[in-house]
Amino acid sequence: MTDITMTDAAPGAPRSMTVEAFSRRTSDILASVGTVIDGKPEAVRSALVCFLAEGHLLIEDVPGVGKTMLARALAASVDATVRRIQFTPDLLPGDVTGVSVFNPVDREFEFKQGAIFAHIVIADEINRSSPKTQSALLEAMEERQVTVDGMTHYVPEPFLVVATQNPLEMEGTYALPEAQRDRFMMRISMGYPDARSEALMLRQRDTVNPLAAIVPVASSAEVADLIAWARAVHVAPAIEEYAVALAHATRGHADLRLGASPRATLQLVRAAKVWAALDGRGFVIPDDVTALLTPVFAHRLIPTRSAGGARARTSAEAVAAVLDRIAASVRVPIAARQ
């Protein structure tokens, strides 16, 4: 086993941000979103992790469980620009990225921004549009820019795409291609609320929309500081080697036809930094990595037909079972605090 050395500080973090300030501000955001999404703290935390890790979030579940509400609640809790794109079969790539329009007065083409130009973009029911339109998001999600007619236009920072999709077995859906899925840092499911939360929802939302009561608790500048603080969280070399070992184990596994990409490994470590910061630490421990293994890796992997055994009813369950076996087989580094 390998020893790892950890420090409490986060070198390179903004001087205006302290551990206490980070915890206070992120707690405010989590509490604000939680006023709308009751009983789903894991989903709310995952959304914030993606935002602060500069990734993107894919929420997959059946209709009516609060996928879009979670995205809207996060957007309302941050004082930043928000755009929503309703993906439909007739949506065009130009509706997402923007188009060049001829101006007869100036006699030249002008770029009209599409809905992608916002701090938080809600891509609602992304798998109901064609693969051609889905691919319009690829450049913006990875490179944070859009190229139209040979001209490059940059999206604002911070930038987050929260996409919702219905399960593939439902009518009128298109499967996201592997390249599109790999752009999302995490995929989560909301699940049905428990009986208490559902009863509370009936009482609270009978006459009032809870989104209307949300006021921003953080500005875009404060979010930028939170991102910079999380980016500076320490990752020991042994932790990096552990993340790489987990990724390599997926690439050669007999039950997987497609393993995790290098981008997946990078995003696993980035997400683990934010996870550690939310726990009040300036360093990553192995538990941060394993806690995020399934949300970060599962949607990128393709199982073989025999994977998961008879108990796996869906592809997602088969992949989760494989990841559980991988996590149990890869040696965990020993944490040695200084």
Side-chain angles (χ1 to χ4, degrees):
M1 293 188 180
T2 307
D3 288 344
I4 60 177
T5 301
M6 301 177 183
T7 59
D8 288 314
R15 293 188 177 183
S16 60
M17 182 67 62
T18 64
V19 174
E20 294 76 13
F22 184 94
S23 297
R24 183 171 59 254
R25 187 60 65 207
T26 52
S27 295
D28 290 342
I29 297 174
L30 292 172
S32 177
V33 180
T35 60
V36 177
I37 308 298
D38 185 61
K40 298 293 180 182
E42 299 87 359
V44 175
R45 181 179 172 119
S46 295
L48 184 59
V49 167
C50 282
F51 196 17
L52 300 186
E54 301 179 277
H56 306 287
L57 179 64
L58 179 62
I59 309 175
E60 178 181 314
D61 218 319
V62 297
V65 294
K67 302 186 299 296
T68 305
M69 188 69 74
L70 171 59
R72 293 179 63 191
L74 177 62
S77 300
V78 177
D79 188 14
T81 56
V82 181
R83 300 287 293 273
R84 175 177 173 175
I85 310 173
Q86 185 64 54
F87 279 74
T88 56
D90 60 348
L91 187 72
L92 299 176
D95 298 328
V96 177
T97 60
V99 295
S100 293
V101 179
F102 183 72
N103 186 332
V105 177
D106 297 332
R107 301 186 65 81
E108 61 182 19
F109 283 92
E110 295 180 352
F111 178 67
K112 300 295 184 182
Q113 293 184 349
I116 198 68
F117 288 89
H119 291 111
I120 299 178
V121 178
I122 303 173
D124 201 19
E125 296 187 307
I126 188 174
N127 60 337
R128 291 198 179 277
S129 67
S130 67
K132 181 179 180 179
T133 301
Q134 293 173 8
S135 66
L137 291 169
L138 292 177
E139 183 183 9
M141 292 176 66
E142 178 62 20
E143 302 173 41
R144 299 175 184 269
Q145 66 180 38
V146 169
T147 303
V148 177
D149 294 336
M151 297 294 294
T152 299
H153 309 272
Y154 294 93
V155 299
E157 297 284 353
F159 178 65
L160 170 71
V161 174
V162 181
T164 69
Q165 73 170 4
N166 297 317
L168 294 179
E169 61 268 17
M170 302 195 72
E171 185 177 353
T173 60
Y174 298 83
L176 295 181
E178 288 80 2
Q180 181 75 67
R181 295 201 306 270
D182 198 46
R183 295 302 201 276
F184 288 100
M185 175 174 281
M186 297 171 62
R187 182 189 66 184
I188 65 172
S189 296
M190 297 293 293
Y192 290 109
D194 56 41
R196 184 200 65 81
S197 298
E198 192 164 4
L200 181 63
M201 178 189 69
L202 294 178
R203 292 193 298 270
Q204 291 181 338
R205 303 185 187 182
D206 187 28
T207 57
V208 178
N209 181 359
L211 282 172
I214 291 184
V215 295
V217 296
S219 66
S220 57
E222 288 174 322
V223 170
D225 283 345
L226 294 175
I227 290 172
W229 174 266
R231 190 187 297 135
V233 167
H234 177 67
V235 183
I239 295 290
E240 296 174 339
E241 294 168 5
Y242 179 51
V244 170
L246 290 169
H248 274 257
T250 68
R251 297 167 193 166
H253 202 282
D255 289 332
L256 296 175
R257 292 193 292 115
L258 179 67
S261 67
R263 182 188 286 120
T265 313
L266 177 63
Q267 294 189 344
L268 176 62
V269 173
R270 286 179 177 173
K273 286 184 175 186
V274 179
W275 196 267
L278 291 176
D279 283 343
R281 284 180 280 107
F283 54 87
V284 175
I285 62 176
D287 287 348
D288 299 326
V289 177
T290 53
L292 292 163
L293 183 62
T294 297
V296 174
F297 275 12
H299 62 288
R300 311 167 192 265
L301 310 181
I302 300 179
T304 60
R305 291 186 177 181
S306 60
R311 293 184 179 181
R313 297 187 300 273
T314 66
S315 173
E317 290 177 339
V319 168
V322 172
L323 286 174
D324 287 342
R325 295 195 292 271
I326 288 175
S329 64
V330 175
R331 182 173 296 178
V332 180
I334 299 174
R337 288 276 313 272
Q338 272 190 348

